[in-house]
Each structure stands twice: as structure tokens, then as C-alpha cells.
Amino acid sequence: MRFGWLTLAHSGSPDGDYGAIQDLVAQACFAEAAGFDEIWLTEHNFTGESVYCDPIPFASVVAARTSRIRIGFAVIQLALRHPIRLATELALLDNLSNGRLDVGVGHGTNFNEYEFVGFGLRSDDSRERMEETLDVMVRAWTESPLVYDGKFYHLRLPGLAESGLDGERQARLREQAALWRFVHVADSQAQAEDELTQALLQTRRHMVHARETNNPSDFHVPASRVNPWNDPHISHEDGVRYSLETSTLYGTPARVAEQVAELRDAGVHHVLCQISYGYMPHQTIVESMRRFGEEVALKFR
């Protein structure tokens, strides 16, 4: 099996950003030593969620300080980006990392309408923007010259370098899928649950407060996308309990290994492990990473 280290780290205040970012760099680089296969970086803006905001420059620092581990995005919010600038930045980063880049894309957040508003946009056309941005980006890597006339972009470009991926590898990459889970490994089951519960409680309080404070009053999330974790009408305690029961791997190394084995037996072969939390001490996170790498992941190689 493959295991990815994923971060969605929060910073509670601007004063804490510097320390949180430095801790994240250390954790991301330690992921290679701990035996993880990939690092996965998220993107959020304006409220301290994904404290580095833009994962691309953050990834460049990690690429410079690591040599083996792959670096991925889960996901880049395409509706907020210009496709030519994005294609150029990602092509450069792929070269800087010696081809270790995996690019995951999406239209943007389903819940934080304020992220679109902050860029002078709304989410109504975000899926159309995503589709067009992705189309332009791929063409920029594979066509020369590039001529594009769409709804949002009208471009004339003498062309960028081709991606170099053959058709078989492109098809294989499209077929890959991964499962995202909160992960925390400690010396005892009780310790793991206590530490993870506190981190998730603070994460959820931050998330709900940011949305209630910043989302426009006319924005509503479709009911199909609401569950107890993100439903503001559910108590924080019940929301966290739902996550603990449905979307976490936590406990002693032996218990987490049992949970991973259950996923493997169900057909999962790639797990993105969100081990990094904004409301957990740096050393606690590093120890959890070390335990997972040494006492869990090695059993599934």
C-alpha cells in the first residue's frame, strides 16, 4: 500500500502564522524520513485554514529540502487561478523537484464562499471556470502554438514544453484514487483519542466560525454536501464524534494497523493521512508521524 502525508493545518491568528508555517515545513520534510510515499498540500485562503494559503511556493521549499518523496496538491482551486500562470508555475516546480509532482485539481471549496468573494468572484460559475482552466492548462503543456477561445479566456501563445508523459502513464494516473483520513498514532488508545478529539474540536470551531463570519448571506450549501462534520447546526462535540467514527485512523500503532488492514481488504491501496493539525503541538505531530512510519506503514509494503 501507499501512504501520503496530508496537511490541512490551521493557524488561529496572524501572530501564529510564522511558527505554524515553519513547523509545517519541518513536518513535510520529516515525512520523507518517516517513510511516507507522498506529501499532499491543500489550498484555502484568508482565515488561517491551510496557513501557507498558496501551496505552490510552499511546495518549492519542500522540494528543495527533500529528494525522494513525491509532492502533490489536494487540491489546487482552479477557479481562482489564471491557467497560463498556473501551467508555468507547475512546469517549473516539476523541473525543480526532478519530476516528483502530482497535481490534483478542483473547482474550489464547496463551503467557504468568502474565498471566491475575496478574489472578486462567486462560486456559481466555478465549475465552468475549473473545466476551462484545466483545458487551457493541459493544452499549454501539450500544444504549440496555443490558440484558445473560450467563455473566460481568449489566448494566443507561442507554446510551452510538452509534459513528456506517454499515453499509458497518463491513463494510469487517471485511474489512481486515494482515500483521505484523519490519522493520529499515540502510545495508548485513550491518549490518541484525547489528543485527536481536542485538535478536531478546535479545527471545527475555527471552520464553522470562519464560514458564519465571512460567507455572504445569500450563499447556501446544497443538502447533498452536508454531513455532521460540516453542518453548523450540529454541536461541535457531535460533529467531532461523527468524524472519529467515520473518517479517522487513530490509536496505538497496532490498532491503526488493524484499521489500515480493513481498508486494504476493502480494496483501498492509497491512503492520504492527515496527520498535521493546527491545534496540536509540533512534537506530538512528529511523534505520530514517526510511529506511523515505523510501526504501521512498514507492515503494508
Side-chain angles (χ1 to χ4, degrees):
M1 294 184 69
R2 294 166 56 201
F3 298 99
W5 177 88
L6 184 145
T7 179
L8 187 62
H10 292 216
S11 174
S13 70
D15 293 340
D17 287 357
Y18 176 81
I21 291 169
Q22 296 301 316
D23 285 348
L24 276 179
V25 171
Q27 293 163 25
C29 293
F30 180 67
E32 181 170 86
F36 286 86
D37 299 291
E38 317 113 356
I39 296 161
W40 290 91
L41 305 174
T42 55
E43 178 186 356
H44 283 290
N45 298 278
F46 307 129
T47 63
E49 196 175 354
S50 293
V51 60
Y52 45 74
C53 296
D54 189 334
I56 295 176
F58 185 89
S60 69
V61 173
V62 175
R65 300 186 185 182
T66 57
S67 60
R68 173 194 60 80
I69 199 164
R70 296 194 65 81
I71 301 170
F73 302 109
V75 294
I76 292 177
Q77 300 189 35
L78 290 191
L80 306 181
R81 306 240 182 191
H82 191 284
I84 299 301
R85 171 59 63 188
L86 184 58
T88 304
E89 291 176 338
L90 292 176
L92 173 61
L93 183 55
D94 193 51
N95 281 293
L96 290 173
S97 66
N98 294 314
R100 291 185 283 140
L101 201 63
D102 294 312
V103 181
V105 299
H107 73 100
T109 172
N110 290 322
F111 304 96
N112 304 350
E113 185 71 0
Y114 57 82
E115 294 193 48
F116 293 96
V117 174
F119 284 93
L121 302 169
R122 293 302 297 267
S123 64
D124 299 351
D125 60 3
S126 62
R127 293 185 185 276
E128 288 183 282
R129 284 183 176 274
M130 173 191 71
E131 292 168 359
E132 191 164 309
T133 300
L134 180 60
D135 189 25
V136 173
M137 187 171 68
V138 172
R139 290 191 186 190
W141 288 332
T142 58
E143 293 182 10
S144 180
L146 172 65
V147 178
Y148 192 91
D149 290 295
K151 178 177 179 179
F152 303 102
Y153 300 106
H154 299 274
L155 305 168
R156 302 293 185 271
L157 196 68
L160 298 175
E162 293 188 357
S163 68
L165 298 179
D166 58 39
E168 181 181 345
R169 176 153 173 75
Q170 291 183 39
R172 189 164 65 250
L173 288 173
R174 284 194 296 269
E175 291 172 357
Q176 290 178 350
L179 184 69
W180 181 340
R181 285 291 181 263
F182 294 123
V183 177
H184 188 56
V185 190
D187 287 328
S188 71
Q189 195 71 24
Q191 178 188 353
E193 182 165 345
D194 287 346
E195 292 174 345
L196 181 57
T197 296
Q198 289 306 308
L200 292 182
L201 276 171
Q202 293 186 71
T203 296
R204 193 177 191 275
R205 290 188 183 108
H206 178 109
M207 175 182 74
V208 171
H209 174 74
R211 292 170 182 170
E212 289 179 340
T213 302
N214 299 297
N215 276 343
S217 59
D218 62 349
F219 174 69
H220 303 285
V221 178
S224 60
R225 297 176 184 169
V226 176
N227 61 53
W229 168 249
N230 56 49
D231 187 346
H233 300 101
I234 301 295
S235 72
H236 293 304
E237 291 73 18
D238 288 343
V240 168
R241 177 53 53 187
Y242 171 83
S243 279
L244 290 175
E245 293 173 352
T246 63
S247 57
T248 58
L249 308 173
Y250 71 91
T252 63
R255 175 57 187 142
V256 173
E258 291 176 357
Q259 294 174 312
V260 171
E262 291 171 0
L263 294 178
R264 178 201 58 196
D265 295 344
V268 175
H269 297 287
H270 189 185
V271 182
L272 303 188
C273 305
Q274 184 179 337
I275 297 183
S276 178
Y277 306 88
Y279 301 102
M280 190 178 285
H282 170 65
Q283 194 57 41
T284 301
I285 293 170
V286 170
E287 283 301 304
S288 177
M289 293 173 65
R290 182 190 60 77
R291 292 187 186 98
F292 187 90
E294 294 178 356
E295 302 180 57
V296 178
L298 285 179
K299 297 180 179 180
F300 298 91
R301 299 303 187 186

